[in-house]
Structures are given as C-alpha cells and as structure tokens.
Amino acid sequence: MGKRVKPALSHGSKKNKIMEQGAIVKKGKGLIKAALVYPNTYKAGMSSLGFQTVYRIANKINFIACERVFLPDPRQKVPGLKHGPQVKSIESGLSLDQFDIILFSISFENDFIHIAHLLGKAGIPLRSPDRNHTHPLVVAGGVACFLNPEPIAPFMDCFLLGEAECLLDNFFDAFLNKNDRNLFLHTLEKKISGAYVPALHNDKIPFQIKVQYLKNLDSTTTATSIITSQTAFKDTFLIETLKGCPHGCRFCSAGFIYRPPRIYPAKNIYDAMDTALGKTDKIGLVSSAIADHPEILNICDYGLQHHFKLSFSSIRADKLTDEFICALSASKVKTATIAPEAGSARMRNIINKKIDEHDILCAAKKLVNAGIMNLRLYFMIGLPFEQDLDVLAIVELTKKIKSVFLEESKKQKKIGTITLSVNPFIPKPATPFQWAAMENEKVLKKRIAIIQQGLKKISNVRVNFESLRKAKINALLSRGDQKAANLIESALKNGWPFTMKQQKAYCDSIIYQEKPVDTPLPWDFLDNRVKKAFLAKEFLKAGQEKKSASCPMIDCNKCNTCI
C-alpha cells in the first residue's frame, strides 16, 4: 500500500498549461476507494476550501484512497484527463461506478441538478432505493446540505452534516467495519452524530439531526491542499482566518449557522503561510469577516515580511483602518470589495447591516487615496420590506461614492472603475429571513430598471445583475422539500423553464409565499444550534426597522442570547 504526493504536474500546451502541486495518489491492495465529487467544474471545485479540506482529511486515513471528480467542462483542460466531457477521477482515471463510496461536496444549491447528471452518466441509479450492494455508497455533505438537504434526500444513501473534521474519521471507520450495507445505514445515525439517512425517516415521526461543529479551532488549519493555475484564484494559497461572522446580517446564513464565530490562532495561519513558501507568492485570506480577526494586522505583516502578495475577500467599510489599508496597498491590491448590500439607512437597519453612509464614503476615499483604484460594490434588491425608494437610494449612494472616487482619483492622476454586483434576495434556511418570500419577477425587473436608468450616464461605473432565472431556481432548491427531487429529475430531461411551468403551483408556494413563523419548514429537523425563537425575534425586529447587536464572540453560556 503506497501513498505519494504528485510532483508539480503540468498538462496542456505551452500557451494553456495547467499546473498542480500537492495531489495525492494512493495505490495498493485493501484500499477503500472514495470519489470526492464537486458537482461543478474543476475550476469551481478547486477554488473551494471545503472541498480541498475533505480531500486532505480523507487521504490522511491510511485505508482510504480519495480521488477527485468534477463536472466535465468541454472548454477546460483538466490535469490527468484527455479532452472531452468524461466523468473520470483525476488521480487514476476511474469512473464513478468503480468506487466504493461517492462523496459529494456541495457548496451551492444550483449544483443539485449536476448530481443527477453525474450519477446518470456513470450508470448509477439516481434514487437510493433503486441501488444495491453492487453500487457505490452515495453520500453528500457541504454547507448546502446542512442548510437544507431535503431537495436531494431521495438521491442520497446518507448525509454527513457539519464540519468534515468532526465526521470523516468516524464515518470511514464505520464503513471499514461494516458487514452488511443495509445494516450499516440502519445503524449509522446512532453511531455518528451528524449522519442523516433519509430512508430511515419515511414514517413522518419527528426526529432531529445535530449538525456537527468543531468547538474551537486551536488545533485546526483550513488552507489550500493543492495549488493549481486553474482556479478562480490562480496559483493562490488560500487560508481561512475565521469561521462565521459576528455581525448578524439577517439575510446571511454564514452569520447564523456558524455561531458563535471561531477564530483561527494567528500561529496556525503563520504556519500555513510557511507551507506556501516556495510554492507560490500569492496568499488569499478568506472569511466572512476578515477584519474581525483580532490579529489581522500582525497576520498581514507576517505575510508581507515573507514577500507574499496578499488578497482579501470582502471587507467591511467600518473596519478599514489606516493600518489595514496600508497592508492592502503594500500587497499591491488593485480592487477592493465592499458590501453595502442596501442603499438606504432604513434598509440597512432592516437587514441589520451596521454600517452607515459615512463609513462607506470614508472607505472609498481611503482606498483610492491609497492607490487602490477599483471598487467592487455588492447590493441586493427584493429584500423584505423593500420599497422603490430604497432602490433609488442604491443609485444615489453609488453617485456619492463616484463623487468621492473621482475627487481622490484626480489626486492620483488616474481613474479606475466602480463595479456594482446586484443580486436578487433569496431567503435562506437558518436565517431570520427564512420565512420571507422572494420578490416576484415583475417587481425585480422594475427595480433593475431603476438602477439601470439611474446609472446609465455615469462614467466608469459598471453594473452586473445576477440572472433572475438562476435566482428563482436557487430559491426553489434552497427552500424546497423532498418533492423538489422530482423537479430536479424533470429539469435534467426537460430543462428548468418547462419544469417550473409544469409545476407552477408547487414552485410558487416554495418561492413566493411568506410563511408564518409557526409554520413547519423542511429543514426544521436540523439542529444548527441557533434557536428558532431567536430567528423569529430577529425577523420581527426587521419589520420594525430595528438593529441588533453583533455576536460578542464570548462563551455562549455567558451570553445565552441565540443558542
């Protein structure tokens, strides 16, 4: 039984060469073969830290050979695979039906349909009851699953709900020692906290699955395992600095399912940077709340002292201190991302976005003054309690930002671009807005037109709108129950437009109907720690345009507010 880390692997022509560093290949008798499947393209999957974490943990187990499989992309060359839309593992070229276990790592609900596609391509029956001992065990996990696994529950033999560090070792031990597949599944929930076997719950008897979380991150590091040129962050070594977010924006699942936020010790982050030395000169610090790490400035200093170019995920406007901006500037960051989310103070109160216009304008001024010439701004439309005036406020706020941007750009004697990303609000499980409805398409189109009309003559401002069709599908798959599996099957054959038209009554009830807070929801059986009563109280405060305090990030037994 052997294990080796692949040397830097190159593939493709000189013009379009792909490089990988860190892939693991195991060969030998007695290994359990596990296909780790990201149900989207290589580029998307290899950009996911969660996916890379599962790969690293699984391959540390001596009796597991974990190989990666992705949705084929005819436009993309992938290491280890020939041209063409094949469904084969990267490490050894096996097809999905040749594995003992298929592990789907799912970050986004719109990828649910790709699961059906991939199983079909491999000749594996889609529905769990139609499979037997000759087929691989089909398992799913990832954040999309521990928000709401129900739309794909009929397809899965089991789910592992929670953070991989809590689940994988015990799951693989249990699988190694199984004698009978049916008995293994029948006893799995009793053996492993966080395991969910949908076939055990067809009797409608109430049950609960406790989603698993690490108590702290003292001995944990979440960072890139395989560096590749073909990701959204080309040749960048990603390091997570903090899990969750303390600020409690009412639309954001990360702010609630990861409560309380947990901070990686700075030493763990330094050690991760050390492992990147000699492999790349790019470090990406990622988290929902980058600047809330108490040692973020020291972390930046450490990276810069070791000659890394640093990049950051979205930064809160009220956290942009002069020192932090110096770190951005020293890293030669060309574009900074700020997420006001709403244009008016009223809407920011409703969504509990605790930044004001002064914070946003000051941030824009400081960034351009530091030579960071491009700004990306995130906004949402169709939020609960939103009015047309709130959307007009997005236009007015953008104009004010542009004015500050222009004034500071003149001092720099060059001007960049302001890019707005405008997304329709989708009510997500495990948030205070889980009972809200998605705004109807007619109103959303009207609000898009307000922004387009208001900004069309403003130079150096670009506006990108998320597809309303994709957003509607996302809402259905985020909020649906097990009946949504039928729609996924139909959409695979007939496309989403036909399917949603045929099932209009069901789709409308899931997407466009606000639910009373005492209504049972498909994901109520998941224990994500945060009390439902707390979420309901936050929804009520949103309607009253009241803000709530951020999570104090102290011992939950001392706070006892939400958990």
Side-chain angles (χ1 to χ4, degrees):
M1 189 181 300
K3 168 183 172 180
R4 68 184 176 91
V5 177
K6 273 190 178 183
L9 173 127
S10 64
H11 182 78
S13 63
K14 287 183 179 179
K15 185 178 178 183
N16 195 17
K17 186 170 282 189
I18 293 169
M19 296 292 295
E20 267 197 343
Q21 299 178 67
I24 295 168
V25 177
K26 287 186 179 181
K27 293 184 178 178
K29 293 182 179 179
L31 288 169
I32 292 170
K33 297 192 292 288
L36 176 60
V37 185
Y38 193 88
N40 208 306
T41 61
Y42 176 88
K43 184 174 182 178
M46 292 305 294
S47 302
S48 165
L49 267 185
F51 177 81
Q52 293 221 21
T53 296
V54 174
Y55 181 79
R56 173 178 54 80
I57 293 171
N59 275 314
K60 277 187 176 178
I61 300 168
N62 61 10
F63 56 86
I64 297 292
C66 182
E67 304 190 5
R68 295 164 292 150
V69 177
F70 301 96
L71 185 73
D73 183 351
R75 301 165 299 175
Q76 198 171 26
K77 296 186 177 76
V78 176
L81 296 185
K82 296 177 182 179
H83 299 294
Q86 305 172 75
V87 182
K88 303 273 188 182
S89 73
I90 288 188
E91 281 74 8
S92 64
L94 295 176
S95 59
L96 279 181
D97 61 331
Q98 293 176 284
F99 286 89
D100 302 303
I101 303 173
I102 298 171
L103 291 167
F104 284 102
S105 176
I106 312 168
S107 303
F108 303 106
E109 296 87 355
N110 279 25
D111 288 337
F112 286 170
I113 194 169
H114 300 148
I115 293 168
H117 172 74
L118 287 163
L119 290 173
K121 289 276 282 186
I124 298 168
L126 179 56
R127 301 257 171 173
S128 177
D130 298 332
R131 297 192 291 267
N132 58 39
H133 67 280
T134 67
H135 298 111
L137 191 76
V138 182
V139 186
V143 68
C145 296
F146 57 92
L147 283 172
N148 179 19
E150 292 302 85
I152 54 169
F155 307 153
M156 294 300 147
D157 296 321
C158 68
F159 290 89
L160 299 176
L161 300 176
E163 292 170 347
E165 294 89 343
C166 307
L167 292 157
L168 287 180
D169 283 341
N170 291 339
F171 171 76
F172 284 127
D173 281 343
F175 187 85
L176 177 68
N177 295 312
K178 74 172 175 58
N179 293 314
D180 176 80
R181 178 189 177 113
N182 289 333
L183 182 63
F184 167 76
L185 288 170
H186 195 75
T187 58
L188 191 64
E189 288 183 9
K190 292 177 183 175
K191 290 180 179 176
I192 300 175
S193 296
Y196 166 40
V197 181
L200 300 181
H201 302 288
N202 293 327
D203 51 15
K204 305 303 178 186
I205 296 172
F207 68 102
Q208 193 164 66
I209 303 294
K210 193 173 179 63
V211 178
Q212 299 298 294
Y213 298 93
L214 290 166
K215 187 174 181 181
N216 60 63
L217 305 177
D218 292 353
S219 58
T220 303
T221 302
T222 303
T224 294
S225 300
I226 300 172
I227 299 174
T228 170
S229 57
Q230 283 293 320
T231 70
F233 320 100
K234 185 178 179 182
D235 294 322
T236 299
F237 190 89
L238 301 179
I239 306 172
E240 189 173 47
T241 59
L242 186 149
K243 281 190 186 292
C245 175
H247 299 291
C249 297
R250 292 175 177 132
F251 58 84
C252 178
S253 55
F256 293 93
I257 60 167
Y258 291 114
R259 281 201 173 199
R262 290 153 295 155
I263 295 164
Y264 289 89
K267 183 185 182 302
N268 298 20
I269 298 169
Y270 301 154
D271 289 347
M273 287 184 180
D274 290 346
T275 66
L277 285 167
K279 298 175 183 175
T280 182
D281 62 348
K282 299 177 190 172
I283 295 282
L285 299 177
V286 296
S287 143
S288 300
I290 284 285
D292 285 280
H293 195 293
E295 295 187 64
I296 187 62
L297 294 178
N298 292 335
I299 291 166
C300 291
D301 285 345
Y302 188 90
L304 293 170
Q305 286 166 14
H306 287 78
H307 309 293
F308 286 113
K309 295 171 188 169
L310 304 180
S311 58
F312 306 83
S313 49
S314 175
I315 302 161
R316 277 181 68 92
D318 58 339
K319 296 284 184 179
L320 276 171
T321 61
D322 291 338
E323 294 85 359
F324 194 34
I325 285 179
C326 281
L328 294 174
S329 182
S331 296
K332 296 183 170 53
V333 169
K334 294 181 175 66
T335 302
T337 301
I338 300 172
E341 308 292 3
S344 67
R346 186 186 87 90
M347 277 312 304
R348 286 193 292 274
N349 287 348
I350 287 169
I351 64 176
N352 204 34
K353 188 80 180 184
K354 296 180 288 288
I355 58 174
D356 58 29
E357 189 173 284
H358 174 76
D359 295 325
I360 297 163
L361 296 177
C362 279
K365 182 176 181 177
K366 287 178 179 179
L367 287 165
V368 179
N369 196 36
I372 300 165
M373 306 306 296
N374 301 299
L375 300 179
R376 184 177 291 117
L377 306 172
Y378 284 118
F379 289 101
M380 283 191 291
I381 54 173
L383 285 157
F385 315 109
E386 182 183 79
Q387 299 167 3
D388 286 354
L389 284 174
D390 298 306
V391 181
L392 278 168
I394 293 175
V395 173
E396 294 308 312
L397 178 58
T398 303
K399 287 178 178 177
K400 289 175 184 176
I401 294 169
K402 171 64 193 295
S403 178
V404 170
F405 181 81
L406 186 59
E407 188 179 327
E408 294 303 312
S409 296
K410 285 177 181 175
K411 297 176 187 175
Q412 299 287 327
K413 296 185 178 176
K414 56 183 176 179
I415 190 165
T417 303
I418 298 173
T419 303
L420 273 67
S421 289
V422 182
N423 299 297
F425 162 73
I426 297 167
K428 290 286 185 175
T431 69
F433 287 163
Q434 65 179 355
W435 295 280
M438 185 175 177
E439 188 57 271
N440 72 67
E441 203 164 338
K442 184 178 177 182
V443 172
L444 289 173
K445 285 180 177 177
K446 178 186 174 185
R447 290 178 179 165
I448 287 171
I450 289 171
I451 296 171
Q452 287 175 325
Q453 189 67 24
L455 295 176
K456 69 178 183 180
K457 293 182 180 177
I458 309 298
S459 60
N460 299 94
V461 173
R462 297 176 185 165
V463 188
N464 300 322
F465 295 97
E466 171 68 18
S467 159
L468 296 186
R469 184 182 67 84
K470 287 182 181 176
K472 190 162 66 170
I473 296 167
N474 188 293
L476 172 69
L477 298 178
S478 297
R479 298 160 59 76
D481 54 21
Q482 291 194 16
K483 293 174 190 171
N486 300 331
L487 277 72
I488 293 170
E489 278 195 273
S490 171
L492 189 63
K493 296 174 187 171
N494 307 307
W496 278 116
F498 175 86
T499 296
M500 295 183 88
K501 188 175 181 180
Q502 288 289 104
Q503 299 291 332
K504 187 176 186 303
Y506 174 75
C507 292
D508 286 356
S509 72
I510 297 294
I511 300 168
Y512 297 124
Q513 282 183 11
E514 182 173 321
K515 311 289 191 293
V517 293
D518 58 354
T519 303
L521 299 169
W523 51 88
D524 278 345
F525 70 94
L526 298 178
D527 178 4
N528 274 309
R529 299 184 297 184
V530 174
K531 293 179 288 197
K532 194 172 179 181
F534 171 77
L535 298 177
K537 186 177 175 183
E538 284 294 297
F539 190 31
L540 179 66
K541 287 177 79 172
Q544 296 167 341
E545 301 176 19
K546 290 181 180 177
K547 291 184 285 189
S548 292
S550 297
C551 171
M553 295 202 288
I554 59 172
D555 184 345
C556 291
N557 293 322
K558 294 178 182 176
C559 178
N560 202 31
T561 300
C562 63
I563 290 178

